[in-house]
Amino acid sequence: MAKSKGIIKIEGTVEDLTFYKQEGVYYVRKKGGIDKSRIAKDANFVRTRENNSEFGGSGKSGKLLRTALGTMVFKAKDNRLTSRLLQVMSRVKSFDAVSARGNRNVAQGITTPEGKQALKGFDFNGKAELNSVLYANYDLDTTTGVITLNTVIPAEQILFPQGATHVSFQGAVLALDFGTEESEVAYSNIVNLPLNLTPTNITLTPTSVPTGTGQQFFLLMVSFYQQVNGVQYSLKNEEYNVLNIIEIV
C-alpha cells in the first residue's frame, strides 16, 4: 500500500490499481485476491463463507442500531462510528452459544449478560467519551427510564470545549429487537444549562418507556453550545457531543 503525494487526488479503480481516501490521506493499492465465485462455491472456503455471513450480520445489526436512534446519532458521532460499532457487534455475536457456526448473530448474543456488557458503555462519538466529559454521578431508573443528576456544577464537573457557554442533557429509551428488526424510541426532555458554578438538579424523563421483544437500551446525550446575541449555536459541527449507552436490559 502506497501513499499519494502528488497534486492529483483520485478515488476509484483504474485497471489494476485502486485509489481511496482514508482520514484525509490518499492511498493506492493493487487489486488482487481470490475470485469471488470460488469463495462462494469451493469447499475449501466453507469457513470463509461462514465468517463472511456472520460479519455481514454484525454489520447489519450495527446499522439497525444507528438507524433506530434517529437524529441522536447524527448529533454525536465520529467518522469511524460504523467500523467501531461493527467491531463491538462482532464481539456481541460471539456470545451466541445457540446458533451453528456461520449463523451466530447479535440477536442471540445480546440476550446474554456478556453480550450486553460488550455493548454497554459504547460511545457513538469516540472523540468525546462520556467518562472523559462528565464528572458527575447519575442515577437511572430502568422502570421509568428517568435519569437524574443531582447538584451538578457545570463549570467544575463537565469537561467542556473551548468556546462553549452552555451544555444540554437529554436521555432516551430504545426498544430494539435485532431479530425482527422492530424498534421504538422515546426521548426525554432537554435540560439546557449555562456553564457556570451554580449547582443544579437535572431530571430527564422520557415521553414513554417503549417495550416489546428484544432489549431496552438507555442512553445519555451531552451537547455543547456557544451563545451569541441570545442564540445558541452547536460547536464545530457537533464534534464534541457525547452519546453513550448507559444500560441495556
Side-chain angles (χ1 to χ4, degrees):
M1 178 175 62
K3 292 182 180 180
S4 173
K5 294 184 178 181
I7 60 174
I8 300 175
K9 307 302 182 183
I10 303 173
E11 292 185 62
T13 300
V14 179
E15 295 185 350
D16 291 333
L17 299 177
T18 297
F19 299 82
Y20 63 100
K21 181 180 180 182
Q22 182 175 313
E23 296 185 353
V25 180
Y26 288 84
Y27 295 89
V28 58
R29 64 186 176 194
K30 189 174 182 180
K31 291 175 62 179
I34 302 169
D35 186 82
K36 290 182 180 179
S37 62
R38 184 183 175 192
I39 294 176
K41 299 177 181 179
D42 195 321
N44 292 324
F45 292 95
V46 61
R47 295 281 88 88
T48 301
R49 290 195 293 272
E50 291 172 349
N51 292 336
N52 288 346
S53 176
E54 293 183 351
F55 184 83
S58 297
K60 183 178 180 180
S61 294
K63 182 179 180 180
L64 186 64
L65 176 60
R66 299 195 312 270
T67 303
L69 286 171
T71 58
M72 262 191 161
V73 172
F74 291 104
K75 294 178 180 179
K77 65 183 180 70
D78 61 28
N79 58 4
R80 296 189 62 250
L81 172 59
T82 299
S83 60
R84 290 192 303 106
L85 192 53
L86 172 59
Q87 186 177 36
V88 175
M89 288 299 186
S90 294
R91 289 205 302 269
V92 174
K93 171 268 301 174
S94 69
F95 293 111
D96 176 1
V98 178
S99 306
R101 183 184 174 114
N103 294 313
R104 293 178 300 170
N105 57 80
V106 172
Q108 287 292 339
I110 197 67
T111 63
T112 67
E114 296 84 358
K116 291 183 177 69
Q117 189 62 37
L119 189 54
K120 178 181 175 181
F122 181 79
D123 286 287
F124 288 81
N125 184 0
K127 298 178 181 179
E129 299 178 351
L130 180 63
N131 290 338
S132 300
V133 172
L134 180 64
Y135 294 90
N137 294 324
Y138 59 84
D139 293 311
L140 167 67
D141 186 333
T142 56
T143 301
T144 62
V146 174
I147 302 172
T148 55
L149 301 92
N150 294 320
T151 59
V152 175
I153 303 176
E156 291 186 345
Q157 294 180 291
I158 299 172
L159 183 62
F160 54 91
Q162 183 177 4
T165 61
H166 288 73
V167 61
S168 287
F169 293 85
Q170 186 178 24
V173 182
L174 168 67
L176 174 59
D177 189 321
F178 287 104
T180 64
E181 301 185 10
E182 295 180 354
S183 66
E184 181 183 354
V185 63
Y187 305 104
S188 80
N189 55 305
I190 298 174
V191 175
N192 181 266
L193 302 172
L195 288 164
N196 58 25
L197 297 173
T198 304
T200 305
N201 294 326
I202 300 170
T203 302
L204 306 173
T205 305
T207 54
S208 64
V209 182
T211 58
T213 58
Q215 282 67 46
Q216 286 179 315
F217 297 79
F218 299 86
L219 297 102
L220 177 60
M221 185 172 191
V222 184
S223 308
F224 295 101
Y225 300 88
Q226 182 180 73
Q227 182 167 297
V228 179
N229 296 329
V231 178
Q232 292 188 25
Y233 300 90
S234 298
L235 283 180
K236 202 175 180 180
N237 297 322
E238 302 173 323
E239 71 174 42
Y240 300 106
N241 292 350
V242 176
L243 179 60
N244 180 279
I245 300 175
I246 61 174
E247 186 59 272
I248 306 172
V249 298

